[in-house]
């Protein structure tokens, strides 16, 4: 980077949807960062709970006029931010106090950063899970680009993505001037973050990965991910993604194996 980026160059955009009882916890974690940056909320389903929670935390609320949909909501969220660095925070998740600080360190250490992302933990029944089988596998996959190693290697990051998506979408910060727009495509619902990563993996630049968990992803039955897995939308989309890397017969085998790893989210 030609000039160091600071907290004023970063925005957390919380995507709020309907009535989430976890929105306040998410906003509290963003307000509790060691380095304070911008925090806003974006929604296409405005209601009193969202409005009151934003008022309580003194956070600006942006209401989209578009028809609700994951890709449309996320693209709208990116457009609401006026900074070059944007983290799309999911309303159910929480961020550890060092996320902003470590993100800025990694971004500023890169020559041409595209995204920053960290390892993560899970929240199940309000208990933090740090080391289950799925998290171990994802950490192993990402060890190839751990802490700046091979961060600019197109071949390495495409090799990782060819066997699945180990990157938690809410753990990603986007360097928007270096990325295409719109970033998310509407033809996917469950695997749209994997599709996005596959596309930008071909762009010259750096994928900056911090192996220290800097956020916690909440797993619960009411989440959109759980719903998409239950109705098999995710399985079909995962197969389509594997077809971008492998012949169809092998892609089918991989998608079946991959669906087993997602059972814990159902």
């Amino acid at each position: 980077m030609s000039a160091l980026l600071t907290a004023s160059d970063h925005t957390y955009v919380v995507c709020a949807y309907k009535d989430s009882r976890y929105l306040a916890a998410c906003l509290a974690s963003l307000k509790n960062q060691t380095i304070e940056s911008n925090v806003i909320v974006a929604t296409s389903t405005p209601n009193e709970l969202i409005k009151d929670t934003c008022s309580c935390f003194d956070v600006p609320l942006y209401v989209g006029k578009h028809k609700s949909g994951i890709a449309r909501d996320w693209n709208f969220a990116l457009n609401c931010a006026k900074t070059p660095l944007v983290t799309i925070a999911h309303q159910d998740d929480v961020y550890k106090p060092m996320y902003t600080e470590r993100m800025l360190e990694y971004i500023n250490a890169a020559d041409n950063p595209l995204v920053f992302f960290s390892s993560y933990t899970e929240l199940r029944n309000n208990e933090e899970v740090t080391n289950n089988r799925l998290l171990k596998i994802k950490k192993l996959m990402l060890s190839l680009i751990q802490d700046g190693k091979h961060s600019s290697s197109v071949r390495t990051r495409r090799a990782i993505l060819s066997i699945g998506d180990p990157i938690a979408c809410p753990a990603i910060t986007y360097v928007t001037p270096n990325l295409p727009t719109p970033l998310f495509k509407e033809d996917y619902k469950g695997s749209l973050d994997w599709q996005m990563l596959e596309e930008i993996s071909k762009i010259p630049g750096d994928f900056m990965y911090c192996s220290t968990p800097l956020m916690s992803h909440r797993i619960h039955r009411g989440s959109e991910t759980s719903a998409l897995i239950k109705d098999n939308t995710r399985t079909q989309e995962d197969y389509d993604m594997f077809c971008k890397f492998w012949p169809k017969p092998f892609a089918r085998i991989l998608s079946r194996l991959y669906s087993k790893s997602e059972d814990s989210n159902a």
Side-chain angles (χ1 to χ4, degrees):
M1 299 291 289
S2 57
L4 290 180
L5 295 170
T6 68
S8 63
D9 298 307
H10 172 248
T11 302
Y12 288 103
V13 187
V14 182
C15 279
Y17 181 71
K18 295 186 176 179
D19 296 320
S20 172
R21 64 182 185 273
Y22 304 114
L23 178 58
C26 177
L27 289 174
S29 73
L30 301 181
K31 290 288 190 176
N32 194 40
Q33 293 291 304
T34 58
I35 297 179
E36 184 179 355
S37 60
N38 305 290
V39 180
I40 64 176
V41 172
T43 186
S44 59
T45 59
N47 57 55
E48 291 305 313
L49 175 62
I50 294 174
K51 293 177 182 177
D52 291 346
T53 306
C54 288
S55 178
C56 179
F57 286 91
D58 193 24
V59 170
L61 174 62
Y62 293 79
V63 178
K65 303 300 182 182
H66 60 278
K67 183 179 179 181
S68 183
I70 299 177
R72 288 188 290 270
D73 289 346
W74 289 2
N75 285 325
F76 173 69
L78 285 172
N79 289 333
C80 288
K82 309 305 179 187
T83 56
L85 304 178
V86 184
T87 305
I88 301 178
H90 296 188
Q91 64 184 3
D92 299 337
D93 301 335
V94 295
Y95 291 75
K96 296 182 182 297
M98 291 288 290
Y99 183 96
T100 306
E101 186 172 342
R102 297 302 302 275
M103 176 272 295
L104 288 171
E105 290 175 3
Y106 276 71
I107 290 291
N108 284 319
D111 293 327
N112 183 30
L114 300 174
V115 290
F116 162 86
F117 54 94
S118 74
S119 180
Y120 70 101
T121 63
E122 292 181 347
L123 284 176
R124 294 177 180 269
N125 299 318
N126 291 319
E127 296 290 334
E128 187 174 23
V129 178
T130 62
N131 212 22
N132 61 23
R133 184 176 65 176
L134 181 60
L135 293 173
K136 288 179 180 178
I137 291 172
K138 291 187 173 185
K139 282 188 175 182
L140 180 62
M141 292 169 66
L142 289 170
S143 64
L144 293 172
I145 56 172
Q146 179 173 315
D147 302 329
K149 181 173 58 178
H150 305 303
S151 64
S152 62
S153 172
V154 172
R155 178 178 297 180
T156 300
R157 61 197 186 212
R158 289 191 63 77
I160 294 169
L161 293 170
S162 72
I163 55 175
D165 179 11
I167 302 170
C169 189
I172 300 174
T173 292
Y174 304 95
V175 187
T176 56
N178 298 340
L179 298 172
T181 55
L183 190 57
F184 298 100
K185 304 299 188 295
E186 293 186 22
D187 49 342
Y188 278 55
K189 293 181 179 179
S191 300
L192 75 167
D193 50 334
W194 189 4
Q195 181 193 42
M196 174 273 299
L197 289 166
E198 187 275 329
E199 290 192 1
I200 70 171
S201 72
K202 296 175 281 190
I203 301 175
D206 298 295
F207 273 37
M208 302 302 291
Y209 166 57
C210 175
S211 59
T212 301
L214 296 177
M215 57 87 58
S216 294
H217 177 51
R218 194 181 303 273
I219 307 295
H220 64 96
R221 292 185 179 183
S223 71
E224 185 67 18
T225 299
S226 297
L228 292 168
I229 291 172
K230 186 175 181 180
D231 72 3
N232 291 321
T233 298
R234 188 69 174 262
T235 301
Q236 180 58 47
E237 291 183 0
D238 288 346
Y239 167 68
D240 292 341
M241 286 305 305
F242 281 119
C243 287
K244 295 179 182 292
F245 300 96
W246 304 100
K248 289 184 177 181
F250 192 53
R252 181 68 69 186
I253 294 171
L254 285 174
S255 66
R256 288 172 180 169
L257 293 172
Y258 196 61
S259 67
K260 297 296 184 182
S261 72
E262 294 176 332
D263 287 346
S264 62
N265 278 354

PDB file of all heavy atoms in Angstrom, residues 241-265:
ATOM      1  N   MET A 241     -19.916 -25.207  -7.709  1.00  0.00           N
ATOM      2  CA  MET A 241     -18.613 -24.614  -7.429  1.00  0.00           C
ATOM      3  C   MET A 241     -17.483 -25.603  -7.697  1.00  0.00           C
ATOM      4  O   MET A 241     -16.455 -25.245  -8.287  1.00  0.00           O
ATOM      5  CB  MET A 241     -18.557 -24.124  -5.982  1.00  0.00           C
ATOM      6  CG  MET A 241     -19.350 -22.860  -5.710  1.00  0.00           C
ATOM      7  SD  MET A 241     -18.885 -21.482  -6.791  1.00  0.00           S
ATOM      8  CE  MET A 241     -17.119 -21.391  -6.490  1.00  0.00           C
ATOM      9  N   PHE A 242     -17.646 -26.852  -7.286  1.00  0.00           N
ATOM     10  CA  PHE A 242     -16.605 -27.846  -7.545  1.00  0.00           C
ATOM     11  C   PHE A 242     -16.397 -28.047  -9.050  1.00  0.00           C
ATOM     12  O   PHE A 242     -15.284 -28.332  -9.495  1.00  0.00           O
ATOM     13  CB  PHE A 242     -16.956 -29.177  -6.877  1.00  0.00           C
ATOM     14  CG  PHE A 242     -16.676 -29.221  -5.406  1.00  0.00           C
ATOM     15  CD1 PHE A 242     -17.699 -29.441  -4.490  1.00  0.00           C
ATOM     16  CD2 PHE A 242     -15.383 -29.050  -4.925  1.00  0.00           C
ATOM     17  CE1 PHE A 242     -17.435 -29.479  -3.126  1.00  0.00           C
ATOM     18  CE2 PHE A 242     -15.108 -29.084  -3.565  1.00  0.00           C
ATOM     19  CZ  PHE A 242     -16.142 -29.309  -2.659  1.00  0.00           C
ATOM     20  N   CYS A 243     -17.470 -27.861  -9.833  1.00  0.00           N
ATOM     21  CA  CYS A 243     -17.356 -27.997 -11.290  1.00  0.00           C
ATOM     22  C   CYS A 243     -16.474 -26.909 -11.911  1.00  0.00           C
ATOM     23  O   CYS A 243     -16.011 -27.060 -13.045  1.00  0.00           O
ATOM     24  CB  CYS A 243     -18.736 -27.972 -11.938  1.00  0.00           C
ATOM     25  SG  CYS A 243     -19.709 -29.487 -11.689  1.00  0.00           S
ATOM     26  N   LYS A 244     -16.254 -25.830 -11.191  1.00  0.00           N
ATOM     27  CA  LYS A 244     -15.363 -24.780 -11.686  1.00  0.00           C
ATOM     28  C   LYS A 244     -13.896 -25.213 -11.629  1.00  0.00           C
ATOM     29  O   LYS A 244     -13.031 -24.606 -12.265  1.00  0.00           O
ATOM     30  CB  LYS A 244     -15.553 -23.489 -10.876  1.00  0.00           C
ATOM     31  CG  LYS A 244     -16.935 -22.844 -11.023  1.00  0.00           C
ATOM     32  CD  LYS A 244     -17.044 -21.591 -10.167  1.00  0.00           C
ATOM     33  CE  LYS A 244     -18.428 -20.965 -10.275  1.00  0.00           C
ATOM     34  NZ  LYS A 244     -18.689 -20.393 -11.610  1.00  0.00           N
ATOM     35  N   PHE A 245     -13.620 -26.272 -10.852  1.00  0.00           N
ATOM     36  CA  PHE A 245     -12.246 -26.729 -10.673  1.00  0.00           C
ATOM     37  C   PHE A 245     -11.997 -28.145 -11.196  1.00  0.00           C
ATOM     38  O   PHE A 245     -10.863 -28.467 -11.536  1.00  0.00           O
ATOM     39  CB  PHE A 245     -11.877 -26.708  -9.175  1.00  0.00           C
ATOM     40  CG  PHE A 245     -11.965 -25.367  -8.513  1.00  0.00           C
ATOM     41  CD1 PHE A 245     -13.101 -24.999  -7.801  1.00  0.00           C
ATOM     42  CD2 PHE A 245     -10.915 -24.463  -8.593  1.00  0.00           C
ATOM     43  CE1 PHE A 245     -13.176 -23.771  -7.165  1.00  0.00           C
ATOM     44  CE2 PHE A 245     -10.976 -23.230  -7.967  1.00  0.00           C
ATOM     45  CZ  PHE A 245     -12.110 -22.876  -7.247  1.00  0.00           C
ATOM     46  N   TRP A 246     -13.057 -28.979 -11.217  1.00  0.00           N
ATOM     47  CA  TRP A 246     -12.871 -30.406 -11.472  1.00  0.00           C
ATOM     48  C   TRP A 246     -13.852 -30.911 -12.528  1.00  0.00           C
ATOM     49  O   TRP A 246     -14.903 -30.300 -12.741  1.00  0.00           O
ATOM     50  CB  TRP A 246     -13.099 -31.204 -10.174  1.00  0.00           C
ATOM     51  CG  TRP A 246     -12.263 -30.791  -9.025  1.00  0.00           C
ATOM     52  CD1 TRP A 246     -12.638 -29.998  -7.982  1.00  0.00           C
ATOM     53  CD2 TRP A 246     -10.900 -31.141  -8.777  1.00  0.00           C
ATOM     54  NE1 TRP A 246     -11.611 -29.833  -7.098  1.00  0.00           N
ATOM     55  CE2 TRP A 246     -10.520 -30.524  -7.558  1.00  0.00           C
ATOM     56  CE3 TRP A 246      -9.959 -31.923  -9.454  1.00  0.00           C
ATOM     57  CZ2 TRP A 246      -9.246 -30.662  -7.013  1.00  0.00           C
ATOM     58  CZ3 TRP A 246      -8.687 -32.068  -8.905  1.00  0.00           C
ATOM     59  CH2 TRP A 246      -8.340 -31.438  -7.710  1.00  0.00           C
ATOM     60  N   PRO A 247     -13.542 -32.070 -13.169  1.00  0.00           N
ATOM     61  CA  PRO A 247     -14.525 -32.723 -14.039  1.00  0.00           C
ATOM     62  C   PRO A 247     -15.777 -33.091 -13.236  1.00  0.00           C
ATOM     63  O   PRO A 247     -15.699 -33.359 -12.029  1.00  0.00           O
ATOM     64  CB  PRO A 247     -13.785 -33.978 -14.521  1.00  0.00           C
ATOM     65  CG  PRO A 247     -12.339 -33.669 -14.352  1.00  0.00           C
ATOM     66  CD  PRO A 247     -12.239 -32.762 -13.155  1.00  0.00           C
ATOM     67  N   LYS A 248     -16.914 -33.108 -13.893  1.00  0.00           N
ATOM     68  CA  LYS A 248     -18.191 -33.298 -13.195  1.00  0.00           C
ATOM     69  C   LYS A 248     -18.265 -34.559 -12.338  1.00  0.00           C
ATOM     70  O   LYS A 248     -18.786 -34.504 -11.213  1.00  0.00           O
ATOM     71  CB  LYS A 248     -19.340 -33.266 -14.207  1.00  0.00           C
ATOM     72  CG  LYS A 248     -19.600 -31.871 -14.771  1.00  0.00           C
ATOM     73  CD  LYS A 248     -20.817 -31.859 -15.689  1.00  0.00           C
ATOM     74  CE  LYS A 248     -21.097 -30.441 -16.188  1.00  0.00           C
ATOM     75  NZ  LYS A 248     -22.284 -30.390 -17.076  1.00  0.00           N
ATOM     76  N   PRO A 249     -17.785 -35.733 -12.819  1.00  0.00           N
ATOM     77  CA  PRO A 249     -17.880 -36.925 -11.959  1.00  0.00           C
ATOM     78  C   PRO A 249     -17.130 -36.756 -10.634  1.00  0.00           C
ATOM     79  O   PRO A 249     -17.629 -37.144  -9.579  1.00  0.00           O
ATOM     80  CB  PRO A 249     -17.254 -38.031 -12.821  1.00  0.00           C
ATOM     81  CG  PRO A 249     -17.444 -37.566 -14.216  1.00  0.00           C
ATOM     82  CD  PRO A 249     -17.287 -36.084 -14.161  1.00  0.00           C
ATOM     83  N   PHE A 250     -15.937 -36.166 -10.690  1.00  0.00           N
ATOM     84  CA  PHE A 250     -15.166 -35.958  -9.467  1.00  0.00           C
ATOM     85  C   PHE A 250     -15.783 -34.849  -8.622  1.00  0.00           C
ATOM     86  O   PHE A 250     -15.780 -34.917  -7.393  1.00  0.00           O
ATOM     87  CB  PHE A 250     -13.720 -35.621  -9.814  1.00  0.00           C
ATOM     88  CG  PHE A 250     -12.791 -35.660  -8.635  1.00  0.00           C
ATOM     89  CD1 PHE A 250     -12.725 -36.777  -7.814  1.00  0.00           C
ATOM     90  CD2 PHE A 250     -11.982 -34.573  -8.334  1.00  0.00           C
ATOM     91  CE1 PHE A 250     -11.869 -36.825  -6.728  1.00  0.00           C
ATOM     92  CE2 PHE A 250     -11.122 -34.601  -7.243  1.00  0.00           C
ATOM     93  CZ  PHE A 250     -11.067 -35.735  -6.439  1.00  0.00           C
ATOM     94  N   ALA A 251     -16.349 -33.842  -9.278  1.00  0.00           N
ATOM     95  CA  ALA A 251     -17.030 -32.762  -8.557  1.00  0.00           C
ATOM     96  C   ALA A 251     -18.217 -33.299  -7.770  1.00  0.00           C
ATOM     97  O   ALA A 251     -18.495 -32.851  -6.652  1.00  0.00           O
ATOM     98  CB  ALA A 251     -17.481 -31.680  -9.533  1.00  0.00           C
ATOM     99  N   ARG A 252     -18.926 -34.277  -8.350  1.00  0.00           N
ATOM    100  CA  ARG A 252     -20.072 -34.878  -7.663  1.00  0.00           C
ATOM    101  C   ARG A 252     -19.621 -35.597  -6.397  1.00  0.00           C
ATOM    102  O   ARG A 252     -20.257 -35.484  -5.346  1.00  0.00           O
ATOM    103  CB  ARG A 252     -20.775 -35.857  -8.597  1.00  0.00           C
ATOM    104  CG  ARG A 252     -22.007 -36.539  -8.006  1.00  0.00           C
ATOM    105  CD  ARG A 252     -23.144 -35.564  -7.784  1.00  0.00           C
ATOM    106  NE  ARG A 252     -23.690 -35.091  -9.052  1.00  0.00           N
ATOM    107  CZ  ARG A 252     -24.618 -34.144  -9.134  1.00  0.00           C
ATOM    108  NH1 ARG A 252     -25.079 -33.564  -8.042  1.00  0.00           N
ATOM    109  NH2 ARG A 252     -25.082 -33.752 -10.316  1.00  0.00           N
ATOM    110  N   ILE A 253     -18.515 -36.319  -6.487  1.00  0.00           N
ATOM    111  CA  ILE A 253     -17.987 -37.026  -5.313  1.00  0.00           C
ATOM    112  C   ILE A 253     -17.580 -36.026  -4.233  1.00  0.00           C
ATOM    113  O   ILE A 253     -17.916 -36.187  -3.054  1.00  0.00           O
ATOM    114  CB  ILE A 253     -16.789 -37.907  -5.717  1.00  0.00           C
ATOM    115  CG1 ILE A 253     -17.243 -39.027  -6.653  1.00  0.00           C
ATOM    116  CG2 ILE A 253     -16.111 -38.494  -4.478  1.00  0.00           C
ATOM    117  CD1 ILE A 253     -16.099 -39.810  -7.257  1.00  0.00           C
ATOM    118  N   LEU A 254     -16.873 -34.988  -4.636  1.00  0.00           N
ATOM    119  CA  LEU A 254     -16.431 -33.978  -3.675  1.00  0.00           C
ATOM    120  C   LEU A 254     -17.604 -33.275  -3.000  1.00  0.00           C
ATOM    121  O   LEU A 254     -17.579 -33.003  -1.802  1.00  0.00           O
ATOM    122  CB  LEU A 254     -15.539 -32.945  -4.365  1.00  0.00           C
ATOM    123  CG  LEU A 254     -14.111 -33.371  -4.695  1.00  0.00           C
ATOM    124  CD1 LEU A 254     -13.412 -32.289  -5.514  1.00  0.00           C
ATOM    125  CD2 LEU A 254     -13.326 -33.667  -3.424  1.00  0.00           C
ATOM    126  N   SER A 255     -18.651 -32.988  -3.781  1.00  0.00           N
ATOM    127  CA  SER A 255     -19.803 -32.277  -3.203  1.00  0.00           C
ATOM    128  C   SER A 255     -20.519 -33.143  -2.171  1.00  0.00           C
ATOM    129  O   SER A 255     -21.022 -32.626  -1.164  1.00  0.00           O
ATOM    130  CB  SER A 255     -20.773 -31.842  -4.308  1.00  0.00           C
ATOM    131  OG  SER A 255     -21.374 -32.945  -4.940  1.00  0.00           O
ATOM    132  N   ARG A 256     -20.563 -34.462  -2.409  1.00  0.00           N
ATOM    133  CA  ARG A 256     -21.190 -35.357  -1.430  1.00  0.00           C
ATOM    134  C   ARG A 256     -20.381 -35.405  -0.144  1.00  0.00           C
ATOM    135  O   ARG A 256     -20.936 -35.374   0.957  1.00  0.00           O
ATOM    136  CB  ARG A 256     -21.331 -36.752  -2.026  1.00  0.00           C
ATOM    137  CG  ARG A 256     -22.399 -36.854  -3.116  1.00  0.00           C
ATOM    138  CD  ARG A 256     -22.354 -38.197  -3.810  1.00  0.00           C
ATOM    139  NE  ARG A 256     -23.366 -38.287  -4.855  1.00  0.00           N
ATOM    140  CZ  ARG A 256     -23.419 -39.272  -5.755  1.00  0.00           C
ATOM    141  NH1 ARG A 256     -22.509 -40.244  -5.728  1.00  0.00           N
ATOM    142  NH2 ARG A 256     -24.360 -39.277  -6.677  1.00  0.00           N
ATOM    143  N   LEU A 257     -19.062 -35.485  -0.276  1.00  0.00           N
ATOM    144  CA  LEU A 257     -18.200 -35.479   0.906  1.00  0.00           C
ATOM    145  C   LEU A 257     -18.296 -34.148   1.640  1.00  0.00           C
ATOM    146  O   LEU A 257     -18.340 -34.100   2.872  1.00  0.00           O
ATOM    147  CB  LEU A 257     -16.751 -35.753   0.489  1.00  0.00           C
ATOM    148  CG  LEU A 257     -16.449 -37.148  -0.070  1.00  0.00           C
ATOM    149  CD1 LEU A 257     -15.023 -37.196  -0.604  1.00  0.00           C
ATOM    150  CD2 LEU A 257     -16.654 -38.217   1.000  1.00  0.00           C
ATOM    151  N   TYR A 258     -18.352 -33.079   0.859  1.00  0.00           N
ATOM    152  CA  TYR A 258     -18.399 -31.733   1.442  1.00  0.00           C
ATOM    153  C   TYR A 258     -19.699 -31.517   2.209  1.00  0.00           C
ATOM    154  O   TYR A 258     -19.715 -30.854   3.253  1.00  0.00           O
ATOM    155  CB  TYR A 258     -18.258 -30.707   0.315  1.00  0.00           C
ATOM    156  CG  TYR A 258     -17.915 -29.314   0.757  1.00  0.00           C
ATOM    157  CD1 TYR A 258     -16.724 -29.046   1.435  1.00  0.00           C
ATOM    158  CD2 TYR A 258     -18.757 -28.238   0.464  1.00  0.00           C
ATOM    159  CE1 TYR A 258     -16.391 -27.752   1.819  1.00  0.00           C
ATOM    160  CE2 TYR A 258     -18.431 -26.941   0.847  1.00  0.00           C
ATOM    161  CZ  TYR A 258     -17.247 -26.713   1.514  1.00  0.00           C
ATOM    162  OH  TYR A 258     -16.929 -25.433   1.897  1.00  0.00           O
ATOM    163  N   SER A 259     -20.791 -32.077   1.708  1.00  0.00           N
ATOM    164  CA  SER A 259     -22.082 -31.902   2.382  1.00  0.00           C
ATOM    165  C   SER A 259     -22.073 -32.536   3.771  1.00  0.00           C
ATOM    166  O   SER A 259     -22.770 -32.067   4.671  1.00  0.00           O
ATOM    167  CB  SER A 259     -23.208 -32.502   1.538  1.00  0.00           C
ATOM    168  OG  SER A 259     -23.093 -33.910   1.446  1.00  0.00           O
ATOM    169  N   LYS A 260     -21.269 -33.583   3.950  1.00  0.00           N
ATOM    170  CA  LYS A 260     -21.167 -34.219   5.270  1.00  0.00           C
ATOM    171  C   LYS A 260     -20.553 -33.259   6.279  1.00  0.00           C
ATOM    172  O   LYS A 260     -20.933 -33.239   7.457  1.00  0.00           O
ATOM    173  CB  LYS A 260     -20.314 -35.479   5.173  1.00  0.00           C
ATOM    174  CG  LYS A 260     -20.900 -36.568   4.281  1.00  0.00           C
ATOM    175  CD  LYS A 260     -22.199 -37.104   4.810  1.00  0.00           C
ATOM    176  CE  LYS A 260     -22.717 -38.245   3.959  1.00  0.00           C
ATOM    177  NZ  LYS A 260     -24.038 -38.753   4.469  1.00  0.00           N
ATOM    178  N   SER A 261     -19.607 -32.451   5.808  1.00  0.00           N
ATOM    179  CA  SER A 261     -18.943 -31.493   6.713  1.00  0.00           C
ATOM    180  C   SER A 261     -19.891 -30.386   7.137  1.00  0.00           C
ATOM    181  O   SER A 261     -19.663 -29.716   8.149  1.00  0.00           O
ATOM    182  CB  SER A 261     -17.705 -30.893   6.045  1.00  0.00           C
ATOM    183  OG  SER A 261     -18.061 -29.989   5.013  1.00  0.00           O
ATOM    184  N   GLU A 262     -20.973 -30.171   6.350  1.00  0.00           N
ATOM    185  CA  GLU A 262     -21.915 -29.087   6.665  1.00  0.00           C
ATOM    186  C   GLU A 262     -23.052 -29.543   7.560  1.00  0.00           C
ATOM    187  O   GLU A 262     -23.878 -28.747   7.983  1.00  0.00           O
ATOM    188  CB  GLU A 262     -22.492 -28.516   5.362  1.00  0.00           C
ATOM    189  CG  GLU A 262     -21.428 -27.809   4.499  1.00  0.00           C
ATOM    190  CD  GLU A 262     -21.994 -27.330   3.167  1.00  0.00           C
ATOM    191  OE1 GLU A 262     -22.957 -27.958   2.671  1.00  0.00           O
ATOM    192  OE2 GLU A 262     -21.471 -26.341   2.629  1.00  0.00           O
ATOM    193  N   ASP A 263     -23.084 -30.862   7.857  1.00  0.00           N
ATOM    194  CA  ASP A 263     -24.165 -31.370   8.707  1.00  0.00           C
ATOM    195  C   ASP A 263     -24.195 -30.689  10.067  1.00  0.00           C
ATOM    196  O   ASP A 263     -25.253 -30.530  10.675  1.00  0.00           O
ATOM    197  CB  ASP A 263     -24.009 -32.888   8.898  1.00  0.00           C
ATOM    198  CG  ASP A 263     -24.368 -33.675   7.632  1.00  0.00           C
ATOM    199  OD1 ASP A 263     -24.979 -33.077   6.730  1.00  0.00           O
ATOM    200  OD2 ASP A 263     -24.043 -34.874   7.573  1.00  0.00           O
ATOM    201  N   SER A 264     -23.035 -30.288  10.559  1.00  0.00           N
ATOM    202  CA  SER A 264     -22.977 -29.667  11.890  1.00  0.00           C
ATOM    203  C   SER A 264     -23.628 -28.305  11.906  1.00  0.00           C
ATOM    204  O   SER A 264     -23.928 -27.763  12.973  1.00  0.00           O
ATOM    205  CB  SER A 264     -21.517 -29.541  12.342  1.00  0.00           C
ATOM    206  OG  SER A 264     -20.795 -28.700  11.470  1.00  0.00           O
ATOM    207  N   ASN A 265     -23.894 -27.705  10.732  1.00  0.00           N
ATOM    208  CA  ASN A 265     -24.566 -26.407  10.658  1.00  0.00           C
ATOM    209  C   ASN A 265     -26.067 -26.541  10.545  1.00  0.00           C
ATOM    210  O   ASN A 265     -26.789 -25.559  10.612  1.00  0.00           O
ATOM    211  CB  ASN A 265     -24.062 -25.630   9.433  1.00  0.00           C
ATOM    212  CG  ASN A 265     -22.751 -24.915   9.706  1.00  0.00           C
ATOM    213  OD1 ASN A 265     -22.279 -24.911  10.831  1.00  0.00           O
ATOM    214  ND2 ASN A 265     -22.174 -24.340   8.684  1.00  0.00           N
TER     215      ASN A 265
END
